[in-house]
Amino acid sequence: EKGWLEVNDRLCEILGYSQEALRQKTWADLTHPDDVAADMVQFNRVLAGEINGYSLEKRFVRLDGRIIPTEISVACAHGIEGQPSYFVALVQDISERKRIEATLRFTQAVVDRMSDEVFWALSDGRLVYVNVAACQMLGYTSDELLTLSVADIDLNYTEVHWVAHWYELQQAGSLNVESWHQNKNGVVFPVEIRLDYLQFEGIE
């Protein structure tokens, strides 16, 4: 019947209700209207015996009206005759994760739209990210550029030169250099480059 049999203090904290008040509601009552249908599809599949549980992201509406993004994992406990008896649902508040994801998307959008060319390269010189300006300046698509390395577009950095250059960048942390880039059509043009060394989650 979608009601709550038992709830812990953390769920009450997430949803803003006392245990007694929460048990007067169903989880459908507190689910964001736009997320009820997706949850019901999986819920009904469990009742039909197609699956024994499911996980998904969905939003709850707190007592104060705030929307709380959560990740839920649901499993069904069955009675002696194999019929669904009750559900166990683990509810995790993912508000902070969603905030970080939104910040990352905003940062990505800003970098994508910068007027300067932006490249991210690994220690072996392989390109792992390029922005729109880099694609326009060099005449490649993003997918094409991500199959290349620094040596393919910068005339001053062969693979041998890159090794020495990378070591210098590691030591200095940042460098300003002048070089020459070559676009897809073979046109060579001068560039001034600001290089910054970054180690993130163990990756240079």
Side-chain angles (χ1 to χ4, degrees):
E1 292 76 32
K2 308 179 190 64
W4 308 95
L5 295 174
E6 296 288 344
V7 294
N8 68 357
D9 291 340
R10 178 58 180 147
L11 185 63
C12 293
E13 181 184 338
I14 290 173
L15 299 180
Y17 288 84
S18 67
Q19 290 201 16
E20 181 180 353
L22 195 53
R23 282 195 290 265
Q24 304 306 310
K25 299 283 187 178
T26 69
W27 58 256
D29 292 335
L30 303 178
T31 299
H32 190 285
D34 292 344
D35 294 347
V36 172
D39 202 351
M40 285 300 303
V41 167
Q42 300 304 319
F43 185 76
N44 288 332
R45 289 184 66 200
V46 175
L47 292 178
E50 297 176 13
I51 56 176
N52 192 51
Y54 60 95
S55 296
L56 53 77
E57 289 187 10
K58 76 168 188 175
R59 293 162 293 177
F60 282 103
V61 182
R62 277 177 52 92
L63 178 61
D64 59 13
R66 286 195 295 128
I67 307 300
I68 302 295
T70 69
E71 184 173 313
I72 66 169
S73 296
V74 179
C76 183
H78 296 86
I80 296 175
E81 297 181 359
Q83 296 300 312
S85 180
Y86 60 89
F87 289 77
V88 177
L90 303 179
V91 180
Q92 181 182 6
D93 182 349
I94 57 172
S95 299
E96 180 63 13
R97 189 177 86 192
K98 288 297 185 181
R99 185 192 66 77
I100 292 171
E101 288 174 354
T103 300
L104 288 174
R105 287 194 299 272
F106 176 75
T107 302
Q108 185 74 62
V110 170
V111 174
D112 281 342
R113 289 161 178 75
M114 287 179 65
S115 58
D116 290 333
E117 301 170 65
V118 178
F119 303 87
W120 295 349
L122 298 179
S123 57
D124 61 4
R126 284 183 295 124
L127 300 175
V128 292
Y129 167 79
V130 293
N131 71 347
V132 174
C135 296
Q136 292 174 339
M137 186 67 71
L138 293 173
Y140 292 95
T141 65
S142 175
D143 288 341
E144 288 173 332
L145 276 175
L146 297 185
T147 65
L148 305 179
S149 69
V150 172
D152 294 313
I153 61 172
D154 195 308
L155 301 186
N156 283 343
Y157 294 109
T158 64
E159 292 184 8
V160 174
H161 291 140
W162 176 257
V163 173
H165 173 68
W166 183 262
Y167 178 76
E168 181 185 7
L169 180 58
Q170 278 181 312
Q171 302 308 304
S174 62
L175 296 169
N176 290 314
V177 299
E178 292 184 357
S179 190
W180 297 87
H181 278 183
Q182 180 172 273
N183 70 15
K184 187 176 182 178
N185 295 324
V187 176
V188 176
F189 55 93
V191 292
E192 182 178 58
I193 307 171
R194 163 76 180 198
L195 297 131
D196 289 292
Y197 173 80
L198 175 67
Q199 188 173 103
F200 180 72
E201 295 185 345
I203 299 175
E204 298 178 292

